[in-house]
Amino acid sequence: MNQEEQVQVLGLWGSPFSKRVEMVLKLKGIPYEYIEEDVYVQKSPMLLKLNPIHKKVPVLVHQGKSIAESLVIVEYIEDTWKTSYPLLPHDPYERSMARFWAKYVDDKVMLTLWKACWGPESEREKMVEEAYDGLKYLEEELGDKQFFGGETIGFVDIAADFIAYWFGIAQEASGVMIMTAERFPKLQRWSQNFVRNNIIKEVLPPKEKLMALFKAQFGNNASNEA
């Protein structure tokens, strides 16, 4: 790959948003240079130059141009490398529905799950109920499919990477159990299929490191309530 075609990813090791980009590049077999950004300590001049509006990771650099926002980046990769491991269906309606469910995960489910684990105690019961509702619709949409994308990992699966991996660790760290095998058997099966994929496994951050990060940043609900 010549310098003009070089792909760079500015990311953060524990971010599900950054990992979305790496997962897709790996699935499509696209070589890239990864640049770790310690956004909690000091944002680099490179990051501030490439993403001056949000000043966040991930950022993809391709052909000297930068793209921000993880799902926007994923669609850019999909449109640029169409023939290698397609993530979106060919049918226009199915493509629009995949985008709908990906946006649903981002806008509705992820924040609710996070608040259910780490939100103020006074709001936690409400957030847990909202989390159940959010996951219920995903459980129904998944049905008996192996992945949201069918037989292979697709756009919605990538968008839901937090639910598949990070959320289980957040539940364990916080002591708040929501996505159990009893209540959501299909999502549990899906999450196992997702994280066991050999390419996805290459990208996932170590569980112990994430667990320590969650506990250090947000504390343990059980100890807070004691």
Side-chain angles (χ1 to χ4, degrees), residues 79-148:
D79 290 341
T80 304
W81 290 276
K82 293 175 186 271
T83 58
S84 175
Y85 199 100
L87 294 168
L88 282 163
H90 293 296
D91 180 78
Y93 173 77
E94 291 181 2
R95 287 173 74 91
S96 67
M97 292 309 297
R99 292 187 178 104
F100 168 85
W101 286 111
K103 185 171 175 57
Y104 174 76
V105 168
D106 255 11
D107 293 351
K108 171 72 175 176
V109 181
M110 283 185 63
L111 184 59
T112 302
L113 295 180
W114 194 254
K115 286 182 175 180
C117 287
W118 304 111
E121 186 179 349
S122 59
E123 299 177 10
R124 200 168 301 147
E125 183 177 348
K126 177 187 175 185
M127 288 297 104
V128 167
E129 288 302 318
E130 289 189 12
Y132 285 146
D133 285 343
L135 292 175
K136 177 185 70 175
Y137 291 114
L138 288 176
E139 176 93 351
E140 293 171 357
E141 171 61 20
L142 179 62
D144 295 325
K145 299 191 295 286
Q146 185 175 3
F147 299 105
F148 287 98

Side-chain angles (χ1 to χ4, degrees), residues 144-162:
D144 295 325
K145 299 191 295 286
Q146 185 175 3
F147 299 105
F148 287 98
E151 295 300 312
T152 58
I153 291 171
F155 187 68
V156 180
D157 301 285
I158 295 296
D161 67 343
F162 172 83

Side-chain angles (χ1 to χ4, degrees), residues 200-212:
I200 298 299
K201 278 196 292 190
E202 288 181 33
V203 179
L204 295 174
K207 177 181 176 180
E208 296 77 13
K209 193 175 178 183
L210 268 183
M211 180 80 72

